[in-house]
Amino acid sequence: MDRPLLYSLVERLRAEERLTQFAAALSSAGQPTRARVSEPVLPLVLAALHEEVGRGLIVLLPEDADARDSAEAASWFLGDDQVALFPSRGVHWGSGLEPPPHLVGERARALDVLERGGLVCASATAVAEGLPPIAQRPAALRVARGEEPGIESLAEHLASAGYERVERVEERGQFAVRGGLVDVFPTTGREPLRIELFGDEIEQIRAFSPFTQRALRQVDEATVYPAGERKRELVEIDLGPEEDEERVVVVPHDLVVPFDRAPDIVWSADEVHAVWEEEKLRGPDLAGAAELSPLPQGQPFSFDAQRPALAARGLSEAENELGGLLRQGLDVVVAFPHRGEALRQQALLRRVSAQMLEPGARPEALTFAVAAARRGFVWRELGFALLPDTQVFRKRPARATAAPGRALQSFSDLRTGDYVVHEDHGIAQLLGFETKEVASVTRDYLLLAYRGDDRVYVPHEQIGKVSRYIGADSKAPTLSKLGGKAWDRLKARARAAARELAGELISLYEARARVFRLSQAFPPIFDSTGDFESAPM
């Protein structure tokens, strides 16, 4: 099994005797235990306990946000396949509303991950909400190249699982059938999938852009979790109330508890009980669960760490902060989202040196790792720290590249044929959107047409440089010519005009200030008849 780079921190914590003892107490049936765990290291402790116990764990937290944050952070150490979130439905059973497809999919995936022995983080509301019986729930659909499900079988399975059939797939929980293609946007996926069949056999599976509908990359296999809690053919069609009748919503009588056992670990038990009391829910019995709390309450085990408190405002100060941690004898891991950024920062260091963390290696001294960690900690007792790159090497905020109120937020703000202004190249007409692979990276691009046959592809991350053209009249503007000086001269004249206007405003304000000072020094006076007389000079 491929492990994330930060799995080495899990191994380092598992080497601690207190972690081994706590895991042994956790495994003892009917012997609940307690531990103090600092909030910054809760995900790492959960990951280490999961590995030490060697079985599936259910962790109960007060709110959906707490469960989501813990599941996300635990996946930095264990990997996405080993960790899942079990959120609440988002709507009450008695409301008559269906939960959003992505929440249905997350809940189904969490049950699947737990069955495979993974770590599941669930909220207090989620574990107290029932689910339909297992026999009535849609099964997950697993597709792989070379299998022969047949296009009709795929469509029937997706419809039964609650997916909406549409002409064009754009959102989670939708699917479309076109010839020998089945497009589906999985409820737990970041991108939709295009399944291409030859007869009944799946020839290839490709992820594609929901905006441009262009293929992005090949996929060998995928799991499509359901979008509905109950099989579609078992759901009674509600035609609504008759005229002059009130709508009556009945909670299904056959709901069952989500998990076949009580939670193994509960975080902040008092807050969990408070949620159940506030929402009038009946949760599972927590008598046998291990209780974790960030507050010292005489617990037999303690895992105490601190949040990083760095105040670096530049590279020099960042080197001072890192050097201070190293002088304390700590091994420091700085997590970067991209390897290129880590290598660039590594080359800029002068007073400290960093090594890149490779798979299977143990981090020592200062190490840069390519990982998704966005939060960190300093664990002095264990002798290591995890820091996100944004907290160490602060970046300047991006400069505004378009006029206020006109900057584009996404490609969806434009339509083919619109006239736009590119900060560097001038006025152009939008020809369309394309998905291209450049230097082994696939992106969505704007295709802009300039005068003659000149064309420019603008990647999606540079959308801030493009603004919609707003002219003084309804006439079509003249397109700019690439490589010419006209656009630069136009920008220079605009800057000169702005400076001239600023100078005039300054002169006006200075004149007003002089008049104000004179009026204060020589106030007007009136004679006995009320006529105005000038003050003596």
Side-chain angles (χ1 to χ4, degrees), residues 145 191 193-196 202-208 215-222 437 442:
R145 295 173 59 185
E191 299 159 334
L193 301 175
R194 179 160 294 152
I195 305 171
E196 185 174 340
I202 297 177
E203 277 200 324
Q204 61 179 344
I205 306 171
R206 293 176 292 173
F208 67 92
L216 298 176
R217 64 180 186 278
Q218 294 281 349
V219 177
D220 292 329
E221 57 183 5
E437 182 176 339
T442 304

Side-chain angles (χ1 to χ4, degrees), residues 421-426 485-499:
V421 180
H422 191 284
E423 178 188 349
D424 300 327
H425 306 305
K485 300 296 183 181
W487 177 246
D488 290 335
R489 289 196 296 269
L490 182 62
K491 289 198 294 184
R493 288 199 300 271
R495 284 193 292 267
R499 285 195 294 269

Side-chain angles (χ1 to χ4, degrees), residues 58 84-86 104-117 120 131-132 134 137 225 257-260:
I58 304 172
L85 164 71
F86 190 79
V104 176
E106 289 283 5
R107 287 161 68 87
R109 178 180 177 272
L111 296 176
D112 187 25
V113 170
L114 182 63
E115 187 178 353
R116 292 188 276 111
V120 171
L131 284 175
I134 295 178
R137 299 176 204 165
Y225 290 99
V257 294
F259 302 111
D260 58 0

Side-chain angles (χ1 to χ4, degrees), residues 131-184:
L131 284 175
I134 295 178
Q136 297 201 19
R137 299 176 204 165
L141 173 65
R142 290 176 172 82
V143 292
R145 295 173 59 185
E147 292 184 348
E148 300 181 1
I151 195 166
E152 292 183 1
S153 176
L154 286 178
E156 289 177 3
H157 189 115
L158 292 172
S160 176
Y163 280 77
E164 177 190 6
R165 186 163 182 170
V166 295
E167 293 294 328
R168 175 187 169 108
V169 170
E170 295 178 333
E171 298 179 357
R172 289 185 178 91
Q174 295 180 339
F175 82 101
V177 178
R178 297 178 291 110
L181 301 177
V182 176
D183 290 349
V184 58

Side-chain angles (χ1 to χ4, degrees), residues 88-93 97-104 107 227-229:
S88 64
R89 299 176 70 248
V91 293
H92 295 293
W93 276 105
L97 301 175
E98 293 294 326
H102 71 278
L103 293 181
V104 176
R107 287 161 68 87
E229 295 177 295

Side-chain angles (χ1 to χ4, degrees), residues 360-498:
R362 177 188 174 93
E364 295 180 354
L366 178 58
T367 310
F368 288 174
V370 181
R374 297 294 86 195
R375 299 183 297 277
F377 54 82
V378 177
W379 204 334
R380 288 184 170 83
E381 189 178 2
L382 267 64
F384 64 89
L386 172 66
L387 308 173
D389 69 311
T390 53
Q391 195 162 5
V392 182
F393 306 103
R394 300 187 185 275
K395 299 177 175 61
R396 294 181 180 178
R399 294 178 55 191
T401 57
R406 299 182 186 178
L408 300 176
Q409 301 301 317
S410 70
F411 285 3
S412 60
D413 294 337
L414 291 174
R415 295 292 181 269
T416 301
D418 286 350
Y419 289 97
V420 298
V421 180
H422 191 284
E423 178 188 349
D424 300 327
H425 306 305
I427 301 172
Q429 186 175 23
L430 175 63
L431 293 185
F433 309 91
E434 293 194 12
T435 302
K436 299 174 68 67
E437 182 176 339
V438 179
S440 300
V441 178
T442 304
R443 295 187 180 94
D444 289 335
Y445 290 83
L446 289 176
L447 176 56
L448 303 183
Y450 287 85
R451 191 184 307 175
D453 295 329
D454 293 338
R455 301 290 184 268
V456 169
Y457 288 94
V458 180
H460 65 85
E461 62 266 24
Q462 295 182 15
I463 188 68
K465 286 194 170 187
V466 181
S467 58
R468 191 186 302 277
Y469 173 82
I470 300 177
D473 50 37
S474 59
K475 295 181 180 179
T478 302
L479 301 183
S480 301
K481 180 176 177 60
L482 289 182
K485 300 296 183 181
W487 177 246
D488 290 335
R489 289 196 296 269
L490 182 62
K491 289 198 294 184
R493 288 199 300 271
R495 284 193 292 267

